[in-house]
Amino acid sequence: MHGPGSSGWLLVALCAATGAYCLLRMRSGVEEQRRAAGGEALMGFGMAAMAVPAAVFTPPAWAWPLWAVVFGAAGLHALWAARASARHLHHVVGAGAMVYMAVVMAAAPRGAHHGAAGTPALTAALLLYFTAYVLVTGARLVPVAAVAGGPGTGPGAGSGARWGDRPELARACRLSMGIAMVAMLLMM
């Protein structure tokens, strides 16, 4: 998506940090969380690579079709996983958005990686989806008023959970990737 320098580097940092945390989540004791974290790590690192400012690095012409194939395969894997759990459908949409952005970048004239537009209707639909996703996920992170002294409200509550097994951190990870996706789609 190769936006302006400072916003591009902020996206790179956000997505790379998210991808790194998702790698940590792959050490979870719960198999479903490990599988989801692997796909999210791929998405985070892929988004980080796409966000590198063009002034620093312009990928070779073959890179964009490669990204489309990699994220197409990730989307098919998520679609297969959606048979067991509908929440994998979000991964299908995310992988589809990455394929779409890679195809738009591949079709753009060489060196014109900013403002390559794509199909306005599809871009708008993806923007609406990811904006709604960010708002819903953000609302789920807002703490609910807990009853004083109730279970899980004291100091150190949840401190025994492993980093890969903390659902609020997984939601924050997904929220940051959703925000980054909105930013990348806006830069198209």
Side-chain angles (χ1 to χ4, degrees):
M1 298 301 74
H2 294 299
S6 60
S7 61
W9 285 119
L10 288 172
L11 276 174
V12 169
L14 175 70
C15 295
T18 301
Y21 174 69
C22 289
L23 286 179
L24 285 175
R25 286 183 40 229
M26 288 181 68
R27 297 177 54 197
S28 170
V30 181
E31 182 180 348
E32 179 63 26
Q33 288 180 16
R34 283 193 309 267
R35 268 194 255 138
E40 290 167 0
L42 174 68
M43 184 71 71
F45 290 128
M47 290 171 68
M50 288 178 114
V52 172
V56 175
F57 176 71
T58 300
W62 55 264
W64 298 114
L66 178 64
W67 280 117
V69 169
V70 167
F71 284 103
L76 289 175
H77 183 266
L79 189 59
W80 183 258
R83 294 175 312 121
S85 174
R87 67 184 191 89
H88 289 284
L89 291 175
H90 171 70
H91 294 136
V92 173
V93 175
M98 293 294 282
V99 168
Y100 169 65
M101 289 187 288
V103 168
V104 168
M105 298 283 69
R110 190 81 178 135
H113 294 295
H114 180 61
T119 306
L122 185 52
T123 303
L126 288 169
L127 273 169
L128 285 173
Y129 173 81
F130 283 104
T131 300
Y133 179 80
V134 164
L135 293 173
V136 169
T137 303
R140 287 182 181 159
L141 280 173
V142 174
V144 178
V147 176
T153 60
S159 61
R162 293 173 43 161
W163 281 100
D165 295 330
R166 309 233 0 213
E168 72 280 6
L169 292 177
R171 275 192 212 113
C173 171
R174 292 181 191 114
L175 175 65
S176 66
M177 282 196 293
I179 291 168
M181 187 66 80
V182 168
M184 291 173 76
L185 288 165
L186 285 173
M187 284 194 275
M188 286 183 60

